[in-house]
């Protein structure tokens, strides 16, 4: 297949590109920079210039492809609602090109608020859009399915880890360095689902190859890693105390990241594993971050 990939030079997207090419597919990767173009060429992909805000580049990329994987998303949380709206428009633009065809579209979504208080499954649906949850990836995808687009979503674990990670765990390491302690909230037993980026990339490829439509896939290798266990690795590696913060103290330590630090989001991937015959092969979160590369 010739696959159009947005976010093709990002943390997850770059792994998806490499996995697709290794499996014999051709990749047309979206990038806005010369550096991104060089990375795509080095990976063996074709370059497609454009941005998420450029509807013409999105539609022309999708028109040239046998399938589309949408991994791009701006994670600047200072303008989260604006970024969510841009994401929705991008999904709609790509979907308009694929409407009525059998060409598959995979859209990236998240798991953080999917099933508060219990273990989430692929059958769960996200909360209604609101000021506290403005992301519309899944709602936009569901609307495309109603218009005969062969679309589905890949839900990523909050921690998509691997050496070179610049996501959640590195932020915790930064907090520990700045504050001189590695902290968790309360008893620290709240759980983060996790997946290695290489295992996550394979979920996208397998779902694309099966042209799966109308469902949700969970890129989750570990159902829930206790937050305290993460804090303990960080404390040992940085040689700083590991301490508990009360809910009232948490904001003073974690700031805007408090919601994520307190998140308890155990998540099953049983249906994904069975339907895609997916079996995670990489190191788990604790083993992966307990390495000098995370603290360089």
């Amino acid at each position: 297949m010739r696959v159009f990939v947005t976010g093709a030079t990002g943390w997850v997207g770059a792994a998806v590109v490499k996995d697709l090419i290794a499996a014999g597919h051709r990749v047309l990767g979206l990038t806005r920079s010369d550096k991104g173009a060089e990375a795509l060429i080095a990976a063996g992909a074709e370059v497609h210039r454009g941005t998420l805000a450029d509807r013409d580049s999105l539609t022309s990329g999708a028109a040239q492809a046998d399938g589309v994987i949408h991994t791009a998303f701006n994670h600047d949380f200072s303008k989260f609602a604006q970024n969510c709206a841009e994401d929705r428009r991008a999904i709609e633009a790509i979907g308009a090109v694929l409407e009525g065809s059998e060409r598959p579209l995979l859209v990236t979504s998240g798991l953080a608020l999917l099933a508060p208080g219990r273990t989430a499954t692929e059958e769960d649906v996200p909360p209604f859009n609101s000021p506290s949850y403005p992301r519309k990836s899944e709602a936009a995808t569901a609307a495309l399915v109603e218009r005969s687009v062969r679309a589905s979503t890949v839900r990523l674990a909050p921690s998509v880890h691997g050496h070179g990670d610049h996501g959640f765990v590195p932020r915790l390491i930064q907090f520990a360095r700045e504050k001189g302690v590695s902290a968790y909230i309360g008893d620290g037993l709240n759980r983060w689902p996790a997946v290695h980026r290489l295992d996550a990339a394979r979920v996208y490829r397998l779902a694309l190859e099966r042209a799966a439509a109308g469902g949700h896939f969970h890129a989750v290798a570990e159902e829930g890693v206790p937050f305290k266990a993460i804090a303990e690795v960080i404390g040992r590696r940085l040689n700083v105390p590991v301490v508990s913060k009360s809910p009232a103290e948490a904001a003073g330590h974690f700031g805007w990241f408090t919601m994520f630090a307190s998140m308890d989001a155990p998540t099953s991937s049983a249906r994904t594993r069975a339907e895609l015959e997916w079996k995670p092969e990489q190191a788990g979160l604790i083993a992966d971050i307990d390495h000098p590369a995370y603290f360089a």
Side-chain angles (χ1 to χ4, degrees), residues 179-216:
K179 307 287 186 175
V181 297
S182 180
Y184 56 90
I185 300 173
D187 59 13
L189 297 183
N190 57 299
R191 295 151 293 180
W192 278 10
V195 66
H196 193 283
R197 69 191 289 251
L198 301 183
D199 285 324
R202 198 149 36 86
V203 172
Y204 285 92
R205 174 174 61 80
L206 292 172
L208 186 84
E209 290 174 343
R210 286 160 173 75
H216 311 294

Short mmCIF file of all heavy atoms in Angstrom, two decimals, residues 179-216:
data_model
loop_
_atom_site.label_atom_id
_atom_site.label_comp_id
_atom_site.label_asym_id
_atom_site.label_seq_id
_atom_site.Cartn_x
_atom_site.Cartn_y
_atom_site.Cartn_z
N LYS A 179 12.59 20.47 41.68
CA LYS A 179 12.09 20.52 43.07
C LYS A 179 13.00 19.80 44.05
O LYS A 179 12.87 19.98 45.27
CB LYS A 179 10.69 19.91 43.13
CG LYS A 179 9.69 20.51 42.16
CD LYS A 179 9.24 21.89 42.56
CE LYS A 179 8.14 22.39 41.63
NZ LYS A 179 7.59 23.68 42.06
N GLY A 180 13.88 18.93 43.55
CA GLY A 180 14.76 18.19 44.44
C GLY A 180 14.12 16.99 45.09
O GLY A 180 14.73 16.35 45.97
N VAL A 181 12.90 16.64 44.67
CA VAL A 181 12.22 15.43 45.15
C VAL A 181 11.44 14.83 43.99
O VAL A 181 11.02 15.54 43.07
CB VAL A 181 11.24 15.71 46.33
CG1 VAL A 181 12.00 16.24 47.54
CG2 VAL A 181 10.14 16.66 45.90
N SER A 182 11.26 13.51 44.04
CA SER A 182 10.41 12.82 43.07
C SER A 182 9.10 12.51 43.78
O SER A 182 9.08 11.76 44.76
CB SER A 182 11.08 11.54 42.58
OG SER A 182 10.25 10.87 41.64
N ALA A 183 8.02 13.09 43.30
CA ALA A 183 6.77 13.06 44.05
C ALA A 183 5.70 12.20 43.38
O ALA A 183 5.69 12.00 42.16
CB ALA A 183 6.24 14.48 44.25
N TYR A 184 4.81 11.72 44.22
CA TYR A 184 3.56 11.09 43.77
C TYR A 184 2.45 11.65 44.64
O TYR A 184 2.70 12.33 45.65
CB TYR A 184 3.64 9.57 43.86
CG TYR A 184 3.97 9.03 45.24
CD1 TYR A 184 2.97 8.71 46.16
CD2 TYR A 184 5.30 8.82 45.61
CE1 TYR A 184 3.28 8.23 47.42
CE2 TYR A 184 5.61 8.32 46.88
CZ TYR A 184 4.59 8.03 47.77
OH TYR A 184 4.90 7.55 49.02
N ILE A 185 1.21 11.41 44.28
CA ILE A 185 0.07 12.00 44.99
C ILE A 185 -0.61 10.92 45.83
O ILE A 185 -0.92 9.83 45.33
CB ILE A 185 -0.93 12.63 44.01
CG1 ILE A 185 -0.24 13.73 43.20
CG2 ILE A 185 -2.13 13.20 44.76
CD1 ILE A 185 -1.10 14.31 42.08
N GLY A 186 -0.85 11.22 47.11
CA GLY A 186 -1.52 10.27 47.99
C GLY A 186 -0.71 9.01 48.17
O GLY A 186 0.48 9.06 48.49
N ASP A 187 -1.36 7.86 47.93
CA ASP A 187 -0.65 6.58 48.06
C ASP A 187 0.10 6.20 46.79
O ASP A 187 0.82 5.20 46.76
CB ASP A 187 -1.60 5.47 48.48
CG ASP A 187 -2.75 5.25 47.49
OD1 ASP A 187 -2.69 5.78 46.35
OD2 ASP A 187 -3.71 4.54 47.85
N GLY A 188 -0.08 6.98 45.73
CA GLY A 188 0.64 6.74 44.49
C GLY A 188 0.19 5.51 43.73
O GLY A 188 0.89 5.05 42.82
N LEU A 189 -0.96 4.97 44.05
CA LEU A 189 -1.43 3.75 43.41
C LEU A 189 -2.29 4.02 42.17
O LEU A 189 -2.80 3.07 41.56
CB LEU A 189 -2.21 2.89 44.42
CG LEU A 189 -1.39 2.39 45.61
CD1 LEU A 189 -2.23 1.50 46.50
CD2 LEU A 189 -0.12 1.65 45.14
N ASN A 190 -2.46 5.28 41.83
CA ASN A 190 -3.14 5.56 40.56
C ASN A 190 -2.29 5.04 39.41
O ASN A 190 -1.06 5.03 39.47
CB ASN A 190 -3.39 7.06 40.40
CG ASN A 190 -2.13 7.90 40.48
OD1 ASN A 190 -1.44 7.90 41.50
ND2 ASN A 190 -1.81 8.62 39.42
N ARG A 191 -2.94 4.57 38.35
CA ARG A 191 -2.26 3.79 37.31
C ARG A 191 -2.24 4.50 35.96
O ARG A 191 -3.24 5.05 35.53
CB ARG A 191 -2.95 2.43 37.17
CG ARG A 191 -2.82 1.54 38.39
CD ARG A 191 -4.00 0.61 38.53
NE ARG A 191 -5.23 1.34 38.82
CZ ARG A 191 -6.42 0.75 38.98
NH1 ARG A 191 -6.54 -0.54 38.87
NH2 ARG A 191 -7.49 1.49 39.25
N TRP A 192 -1.08 4.42 35.32
CA TRP A 192 -0.91 4.90 33.95
C TRP A 192 -0.78 3.70 33.00
O TRP A 192 0.15 2.88 33.16
CB TRP A 192 0.37 5.71 33.82
CG TRP A 192 0.29 7.13 34.25
CD1 TRP A 192 -0.73 7.75 34.91
CD2 TRP A 192 1.29 8.13 34.04
NE1 TRP A 192 -0.42 9.06 35.13
CE2 TRP A 192 0.82 9.33 34.60
CE3 TRP A 192 2.55 8.12 33.43
CZ2 TRP A 192 1.55 10.51 34.57
CZ3 TRP A 192 3.28 9.30 33.41
CH2 TRP A 192 2.78 10.48 33.96
N PRO A 193 -1.65 3.56 32.02
CA PRO A 193 -1.38 2.57 30.97
C PRO A 193 -0.18 3.01 30.15
O PRO A 193 0.11 4.22 30.05
CB PRO A 193 -2.67 2.56 30.14
CG PRO A 193 -3.33 3.86 30.44
CD PRO A 193 -2.90 4.28 31.81
N ALA A 194 0.53 2.06 29.58
CA ALA A 194 1.77 2.41 28.88
C ALA A 194 2.00 1.49 27.69
O ALA A 194 1.49 0.36 27.64
CB ALA A 194 2.96 2.32 29.85
N VAL A 195 2.80 1.97 26.75
CA VAL A 195 3.19 1.18 25.58
C VAL A 195 4.49 1.73 25.04
O VAL A 195 4.74 2.94 25.07
CB VAL A 195 2.09 1.22 24.49
CG1 VAL A 195 1.93 2.63 23.91
CG2 VAL A 195 2.36 0.22 23.38
N HIS A 196 5.35 0.85 24.56
CA HIS A 196 6.56 1.28 23.88
C HIS A 196 6.18 1.77 22.49
O HIS A 196 5.29 1.23 21.83
CB HIS A 196 7.55 0.11 23.78
CG HIS A 196 8.93 0.53 23.38
ND1 HIS A 196 9.26 0.84 22.07
CD2 HIS A 196 10.07 0.68 24.11
CE1 HIS A 196 10.54 1.17 22.02
NE2 HIS A 196 11.05 1.09 23.25
N ARG A 197 6.86 2.81 22.02
CA ARG A 197 6.49 3.41 20.73
C ARG A 197 6.58 2.42 19.58
O ARG A 197 5.78 2.51 18.62
CB ARG A 197 7.38 4.64 20.44
CG ARG A 197 8.83 4.32 20.15
CD ARG A 197 9.68 5.59 20.15
NE ARG A 197 9.44 6.43 19.01
CZ ARG A 197 10.31 6.61 18.01
NH1 ARG A 197 11.46 5.95 17.99
NH2 ARG A 197 10.04 7.42 17.02
N LEU A 198 7.49 1.46 19.61
CA LEU A 198 7.61 0.49 18.54
C LEU A 198 6.43 -0.49 18.53
O LEU A 198 5.94 -0.89 17.47
CB LEU A 198 8.93 -0.27 18.63
CG LEU A 198 10.20 0.57 18.57
CD1 LEU A 198 11.44 -0.32 18.60
CD2 LEU A 198 10.21 1.44 17.30
N ASP A 199 5.95 -0.85 19.72
CA ASP A 199 4.76 -1.68 19.81
C ASP A 199 3.53 -0.90 19.35
O ASP A 199 2.65 -1.45 18.67
CB ASP A 199 4.55 -2.18 21.23
CG ASP A 199 5.52 -3.29 21.62
OD1 ASP A 199 5.85 -4.12 20.74
OD2 ASP A 199 5.96 -3.33 22.78
N ALA A 200 3.46 0.37 19.72
CA ALA A 200 2.33 1.21 19.29
C ALA A 200 2.29 1.33 17.77
O ALA A 200 1.22 1.26 17.16
CB ALA A 200 2.44 2.59 19.92
N ALA A 201 3.44 1.50 17.15
CA ALA A 201 3.50 1.64 15.70
C ALA A 201 2.91 0.42 15.00
O ALA A 201 2.23 0.53 13.97
CB ALA A 201 4.94 1.87 15.25
N ARG A 202 3.13 -0.74 15.58
CA ARG A 202 2.65 -1.97 14.95
C ARG A 202 1.12 -2.06 15.02
O ARG A 202 0.50 -2.65 14.14
CB ARG A 202 3.31 -3.18 15.61
CG ARG A 202 3.23 -4.46 14.81
CD ARG A 202 4.44 -5.35 15.07
NE ARG A 202 4.88 -5.28 16.46
CZ ARG A 202 4.36 -6.03 17.45
NH1 ARG A 202 3.43 -6.93 17.18
NH2 ARG A 202 4.83 -5.92 18.68
N VAL A 203 0.51 -1.48 16.04
CA VAL A 203 -0.96 -1.46 16.10
C VAL A 203 -1.52 -0.72 14.89
O VAL A 203 -2.47 -1.19 14.24
CB VAL A 203 -1.44 -0.80 17.41
CG1 VAL A 203 -2.96 -0.59 17.38
CG2 VAL A 203 -1.06 -1.64 18.62
N TYR A 204 -0.93 0.41 14.56
CA TYR A 204 -1.40 1.17 13.39
C TYR A 204 -1.28 0.33 12.12
O TYR A 204 -2.21 0.27 11.31
CB TYR A 204 -0.58 2.45 13.23
CG TYR A 204 -0.88 3.55 14.20
CD1 TYR A 204 -0.19 3.69 15.39
CD2 TYR A 204 -1.85 4.51 13.90
CE1 TYR A 204 -0.45 4.73 16.27
CE2 TYR A 204 -2.12 5.56 14.77
CZ TYR A 204 -1.42 5.66 15.95
OH TYR A 204 -1.70 6.69 16.82
N ARG A 205 -0.12 -0.28 11.94
CA ARG A 205 0.09 -1.04 10.69
C ARG A 205 -0.88 -2.21 10.58
O ARG A 205 -1.49 -2.44 9.53
CB ARG A 205 1.53 -1.53 10.59
CG ARG A 205 1.74 -2.45 9.37
CD ARG A 205 3.17 -2.83 9.17
NE ARG A 205 3.77 -3.56 10.28
CZ ARG A 205 3.60 -4.88 10.48
NH1 ARG A 205 2.82 -5.59 9.67
NH2 ARG A 205 4.19 -5.47 11.50
N LEU A 206 -1.03 -2.95 11.66
CA LEU A 206 -1.91 -4.12 11.62
C LEU A 206 -3.36 -3.71 11.37
O LEU A 206 -4.08 -4.38 10.61
CB LEU A 206 -1.79 -4.91 12.93
CG LEU A 206 -0.45 -5.60 13.17
CD1 LEU A 206 -0.40 -6.17 14.58
CD2 LEU A 206 -0.20 -6.68 12.13
N ALA A 207 -3.79 -2.63 11.99
CA ALA A 207 -5.16 -2.16 11.77
C ALA A 207 -5.34 -1.69 10.33
O ALA A 207 -6.38 -1.94 9.71
CB ALA A 207 -5.48 -1.02 12.74
N LEU A 208 -4.33 -1.02 9.79
CA LEU A 208 -4.41 -0.55 8.41
C LEU A 208 -4.47 -1.73 7.44
O LEU A 208 -5.28 -1.75 6.51
CB LEU A 208 -3.20 0.32 8.09
CG LEU A 208 -3.24 0.99 6.71
CD1 LEU A 208 -4.05 2.27 6.78
CD2 LEU A 208 -1.83 1.28 6.20
N GLU A 209 -3.63 -2.72 7.65
CA GLU A 209 -3.57 -3.87 6.75
C GLU A 209 -4.87 -4.66 6.76
O GLU A 209 -5.25 -5.26 5.75
CB GLU A 209 -2.40 -4.78 7.13
CG GLU A 209 -1.05 -4.17 6.83
CD GLU A 209 0.11 -5.00 7.35
OE1 GLU A 209 -0.11 -5.88 8.21
OE2 GLU A 209 1.24 -4.75 6.91
N ARG A 210 -5.58 -4.64 7.88
CA ARG A 210 -6.86 -5.33 7.96
C ARG A 210 -8.02 -4.44 7.56
O ARG A 210 -9.18 -4.87 7.59
CB ARG A 210 -7.06 -5.87 9.38
CG ARG A 210 -6.19 -7.09 9.67
CD ARG A 210 -6.01 -7.30 11.17
NE ARG A 210 -5.32 -8.54 11.48
CZ ARG A 210 -4.01 -8.73 11.33
NH1 ARG A 210 -3.25 -7.76 10.87
NH2 ARG A 210 -3.46 -9.90 11.64
N ALA A 211 -7.70 -3.19 7.19
CA ALA A 211 -8.71 -2.22 6.76
C ALA A 211 -9.87 -2.17 7.75
O ALA A 211 -11.04 -2.12 7.37
CB ALA A 211 -9.21 -2.54 5.35
N ALA A 212 -9.53 -2.22 9.03
CA ALA A 212 -10.55 -2.23 10.07
C ALA A 212 -11.33 -0.92 10.06
O ALA A 212 -10.77 0.15 9.83
CB ALA A 212 -9.89 -2.44 11.43
N ALA A 213 -12.62 -1.01 10.30
CA ALA A 213 -13.46 0.19 10.21
C ALA A 213 -14.44 0.26 11.37
O ALA A 213 -14.97 -0.75 11.83
CB ALA A 213 -14.23 0.19 8.89
N GLY A 214 -14.69 1.49 11.81
CA GLY A 214 -15.75 1.74 12.77
C GLY A 214 -15.46 1.34 14.20
O GLY A 214 -16.32 1.44 15.06
N GLY A 215 -14.25 0.90 14.49
CA GLY A 215 -13.94 0.46 15.85
C GLY A 215 -12.83 1.25 16.48
O GLY A 215 -12.35 2.24 15.92
N HIS A 216 -12.42 0.80 17.65
CA HIS A 216 -11.35 1.45 18.38
C HIS A 216 -10.30 0.40 18.72
O HIS A 216 -10.63 -0.73 19.09
CB HIS A 216 -11.88 2.07 19.68
CG HIS A 216 -13.11 2.90 19.49
ND1 HIS A 216 -13.10 4.07 18.78
CD2 HIS A 216 -14.38 2.73 19.91
CE1 HIS A 216 -14.33 4.59 18.77
NE2 HIS A 216 -15.12 3.79 19.46
#
